Amino acid sequence: MKINYDRMMKQFIEMTKIDATSYEELPMQQYMEKELKKLGGKVYVDDAGKKFKTTAKGNVMARFPGTVKSKPFILGAHLDTVAPCKNVKASIKNGKVVTDGTTVLGADDRAGLAIILEVIRTLKESKEDYPPIEVACTLCEEGGMYGAKFFDASFLQGKEGIILDDQTPKELIVNAPKAYIFEIKITGKASHAGVSPEKGISALEVAAKAISMMKLGRIDKLTVANLGIIKGGTGTNIVMPELVLEGEARSRNLPALEKQVKHMKECFKKAEKLFTKKVDGKTIKPKIEFRQELKYPLLNISPKLPLIKYILSRAKAHKIDMETKSCGGGFDSNVLASKGLIMPIIGIGYYDNHTVKEWLDIKEFNKTADLTLDIVKNYRKQ
Ligand SMILES: [Zn+2]
C-alpha cells in the first residue's frame, strides 16, 4: 500500500485555488464535505458557523468504518487560510511548491487536508486492514480557533488522533501555552491643554506610569506578556481623555500566568491612585477597566502517553527523527483538549507560512503522508 504522491499533489494544487480565508470558509467547507462523501464517509457538519461570524455552516467531520475493530483514529486539519489567498498561482520549482509572490500558498493548512484525503483514499483502495477513521476539519483556526471553540465533539467516537498542521514532521507538538487577551480602557479627564491642563487627567500619562512599573516581554522561560495595540487621543491641544490598550499574556506555567495578570492589574491600580487629585475642591481620578478573555487553554500532553510513544515509534520506522516539542503559540489542539480530544500536532512541510513567500517542501509533504498512512493503518485501541 503506497500513497499516490502525484494524485495528492494534484488535489493540493486544486485546493490552493479555493478562496477561503478565516470567517469566509464556506467554499472549503463544501469542498471537504464533497470529497469526504465521495470517499464514502459518513459526513457531519456541526452548527459552529451560527455561533460566530462566518460564511460557513460549521466544522466538517466524517467517519469511515474501517475493516477491524478498534476505536477510531482522528485526523484533524483546519479549513481556513490567512489572506491573501485569492488567485493563488502555485507552481513547482526545485522540489518546492511556491506562489508567484502575490499571495500565500495556503499549504497552511490545505497540505494537511490533502494528506487526510489521500491517506483515506489509499486505505480504501488497498486490501489491507485498517481501523475506523474519523476526520475533524475546523473553521477559523487562524482567526482565533473559533471552529474548535464551538466544535461539537459528540459526533466523534474516537478520543485521540493527530492534527496535521505546522512545519516539519520532525516535530510532534505536545505542549503549548495558555493565553489571555486583554483590553484595558483608561478614562482620564479632558481639558484644554493650553489653558487648563492641570484640570485634566491624561489617560496617556496614566498608561505610561502603569507600563513603566510593569514587567513585559519575557517574564520567565515559560511566560511572556505584551501590549501590542494602543489607541487614543483626539487633538494636540486636548489632555487625552481616553485610551485603549490591547495586549496578551501566555504561559505554560499556569500559576505564573495568573501571577503576571495580577501584576499587570496592580500596576494599573497603582497608576490610578497616583493620578487621583483635587480640582476646584473636587476629587477626580482616572478610571481603569481591565477586560480579560481566555484566548486558548493550555495544551499539555504527556510524552508518556501510549499515543505519543506509538507515533514516535512509527516515525522511527520511517527514519524520521521525530521529537516531542513545545510551541509558543496555540493550536486547535489546545481547545480540543478541553473537549477531551488528545490531538498532538505533526508538521507537514510548509514554511514561511502567513507570508507571500510561503512554500511547501514536497519531500516532507510526501513523508508526512507516508507516516500518517502508517500511523492510521496500524492503530488499534479497544
Ligand atoms: Zn495552520
Side-chain angles (χ1 to χ4, degrees):
M1 182 186 339
K2 274 197 92 139
I3 292 282
N4 184 332
Y5 299 142
D6 289 342
R7 186 170 60 183
M8 181 168 72
M9 179 55 72
K10 228 177 119 195
Q11 180 144 43
F12 168 66
I13 302 273
E14 183 181 286
M15 284 179 178
T16 63
K17 298 193 172 89
I18 302 170
D19 179 23
T21 45
S22 309
Y23 305 101
E24 293 180 356
E25 298 102 336
L26 182 65
M28 204 61 208
Q29 175 217 304
Q30 290 171 332
Y31 180 86
M32 284 306 286
E33 259 186 276
K34 187 185 83 200
E35 290 300 309
L36 290 162
K37 272 185 194 154
K38 261 205 260 173
L39 288 171
K42 183 181 175 196
V43 176
Y44 169 66
V45 180
D46 70 13
D47 65 351
K50 278 193 200 140
K51 296 172 182 164
F52 69 99
K53 224 175 142 246
T54 167
T55 58
K57 185 174 169 278
N59 299 299
V60 180
M61 287 166 244
R63 180 158 49 246
F64 296 84
T67 61
V68 291
K69 230 185 135 222
S70 166
K71 284 249 164 66
F73 189 85
I74 310 169
L75 293 173
H78 61 87
L79 294 164
D80 60 319
T81 301
V82 296
C85 75
K86 225 184 198 120
N87 293 321
V88 173
K89 290 185 189 72
S91 59
I92 294 173
K93 268 185 204 133
N94 307 323
K96 299 174 177 180
V97 189
V98 295
T99 70
D100 62 359
T102 62
T103 66
V104 298
L105 177 62
D108 174 8
D109 193 19
R110 279 103 190 259
L113 296 168
I115 290 174
I116 292 176
L117 293 173
E118 188 54 38
V119 163
I120 297 171
R121 195 173 287 128
T122 306
L123 286 166
K124 294 211 74 173
E125 283 172 356
S126 81
K127 293 194 170 62
E128 293 176 49
D129 281 333
Y130 60 91
I133 306 163
E134 290 181 330
V135 177
C137 305
T138 53
L139 302 171
C140 211
E141 193 264 358
E142 308 285 6
M145 299 157 205
Y146 288 108
K149 281 174 186 165
F150 298 112
F151 188 86
D152 174 14
S154 68
F155 173 80
L156 301 177
Q157 293 168 355
K159 284 275 172 269
E160 56 188 30
I162 50 173
I163 283 187
L164 293 148
D165 198 1
D166 208 35
Q167 304 187 338
T168 168
K170 288 180 185 153
E171 292 180 356
L172 182 68
I173 295 170
V174 293
N175 275 299
K178 175 177 177 174
Y180 286 118
I181 41 176
F182 313 119
E183 190 194 78
I184 306 125
K185 187 172 159 193
I186 302 166
T187 312
K189 193 173 188 310
S191 187
H192 195 298
V195 181
S196 54
E198 55 284 296
K199 290 190 178 177
I201 296 174
S202 163
L204 180 59
E205 282 185 56
V206 177
K209 190 79 198 169
I211 294 167
S212 72
M213 297 183 279
M214 201 176 290
K215 281 181 275 174
L216 290 168
R218 177 153 305 278
I219 309 303
D220 61 43
K221 236 176 116 189
L222 303 176
T223 314
V224 290
N226 182 50
L227 292 170
I229 298 174
I230 178 163
K231 294 176 210 153
T234 47
T236 58
N237 58 349
I238 304 165
V239 173
M240 192 190 287
E242 196 180 290
L243 176 71
V244 178
L245 290 165
E246 287 175 50
E248 57 162 61
R250 308 176 182 198
S251 185
R252 285 187 274 125
N253 175 341
L254 298 186
L257 179 63
E258 298 307 326
K259 196 176 152 204
Q260 173 63 16
V261 176
K262 196 171 159 226
H263 160 71
M264 291 171 82
K265 285 180 180 164
E266 276 167 4
C267 291
F268 284 109
K269 276 246 160 65
K270 275 188 206 159
E272 198 176 60
K273 251 194 205 142
L274 288 170
F275 283 84
T276 303
K277 61 181 179 181
K278 271 211 158 105
V279 173
D280 300 332
K282 265 199 211 150
T283 302
I284 59 166
K285 61 177 193 174
K287 187 175 150 200
I288 296 175
E289 293 156 87
F290 192 107
R291 266 200 297 274
Q292 160 187 359
E293 196 189 302
L294 178 69
K295 194 174 180 193
Y296 45 81
L298 182 77
L299 177 69
N300 189 16
I301 303 173
S302 165
K304 292 188 184 123
L305 274 189
L307 173 72
I308 304 304
K309 286 188 181 162
Y310 169 67
I311 294 170
L312 293 177
S313 75
R314 296 330 301 161
K316 209 171 168 193
H318 284 264
K319 298 194 169 58
I320 301 172
D321 296 322
M322 186 190 269
E323 279 180 9
T324 55
K325 276 261 152 78
S326 303
C327 183
F331 292 86
D332 275 344
S333 298
N334 293 53
V335 183
L336 295 176
S338 68
K339 297 183 188 245
L341 301 176
I342 304 168
M343 311 265 293
I345 302 113
I346 291 187
I348 51 183
Y350 64 65
Y351 294 90
D352 297 324
N353 53 319
H354 299 199
T355 78
V356 295
K357 290 196 178 113
E358 183 184 2
W359 57 282
L360 180 68
D361 183 311
I362 298 174
K363 249 192 198 157
E364 286 198 330
F365 176 50
N366 292 343
K367 218 169 202 179
T368 310
D370 290 336
L371 173 62
T372 304
L373 177 67
D374 182 328
I375 290 172
V376 175
K377 187 186 144 224
N378 294 302
Y379 179 79
R380 302 287 184 272
K381 190 172 183 175
Q382 302 312 326

